[in-house]
Amino acid sequence: MDELRELYELQNTKTFLEDENRRLKNQIERVTDELEGINIAVSSAEAYLASYENKRKKCSRNIEKLNFQKDVLTGKISDLRLKIKATREDEESTANLTEMLQDELHRIQGEKTLVIKRLSDMKTRLQEISTDRDVKLPHLKWYDGILKQTHNVFMETKDRMEVSLILKNK
């Protein structure tokens, strides 16, 4: 009976071990399935991390590009501010020059008016002189002729008187 009992115990042990074996196989299958799920999750996480890292690198490059563009634009803004300042100074200078030139123009226009008036007065005087000359010239020529004759007569008289004085003194 001992053998039977041992056989019975062995059979119980066998049944127990078979049950334990099925349970462990099921557990291994579950763990394997979980590991496959974890592997899928890990590879998905790794793909997400790689994608995230690529996006981060791309964003870093974009930030560097934007900083460079910001520096370029800041330089352009500085240049434009300098040009605006120079333009304002030029506008101020132009306004002052325009004002000075307008004052000079008004002064020149005043002088032009004065010169035109003087020229007009001179023209009038020249016309008066020309008219006087035209009127008086014939009389002056006649007076000139008379003066020449008178001069000749006086010179003849003077010469005669000199001759007469010389003769008287001799």
Side-chain angles (χ1 to χ4, degrees), residues 57-130:
K57 287 179 182 178
K58 187 176 179 181
C59 287
S60 293
R61 286 191 302 267
N62 285 341
I63 288 171
E64 289 174 9
K65 287 178 185 177
L66 289 174
N67 283 334
F68 178 75
Q69 287 177 348
K70 181 186 85 169
D71 292 342
V72 169
L73 290 175
T74 302
K76 286 181 180 180
I77 288 171
S78 295
D79 289 345
L80 288 174
R81 284 184 178 156
L82 289 174
K83 287 179 182 178
I84 287 170
K85 184 179 178 182
T87 302
R88 285 184 181 151
E89 289 173 358
D90 287 347
E91 285 176 350
E92 233 177 85
S93 297
T94 303
N96 290 338
L97 181 62
T98 302
E99 187 177 322
M100 287 173 39
L101 288 174
Q102 285 177 343
D103 291 344
E104 185 71 17
L105 177 64
H106 291 315
R107 190 180 61 76
I108 289 172
Q109 285 174 341
E111 288 179 10
K112 176 184 171 188
T113 303
L114 183 64
V115 167
I116 288 173
K117 185 180 181 289
R118 286 183 181 169
L119 284 174
S120 175
D121 290 346
M122 286 175 59
K123 186 176 178 182
T124 303
R125 287 300 299 146
L126 284 173
Q127 285 175 346
E128 288 175 4
I129 290 171
S130 177

Side-chain angles (χ1 to χ4, degrees), residues 150-163:
T150 307
H151 175 68
N152 287 338
V153 169
F154 278 129
M155 289 308 279
E156 283 178 20
T157 307
K158 178 182 168 191
D159 287 342
R160 279 187 203 156
M161 286 177 87
E162 284 177 359
V163 168

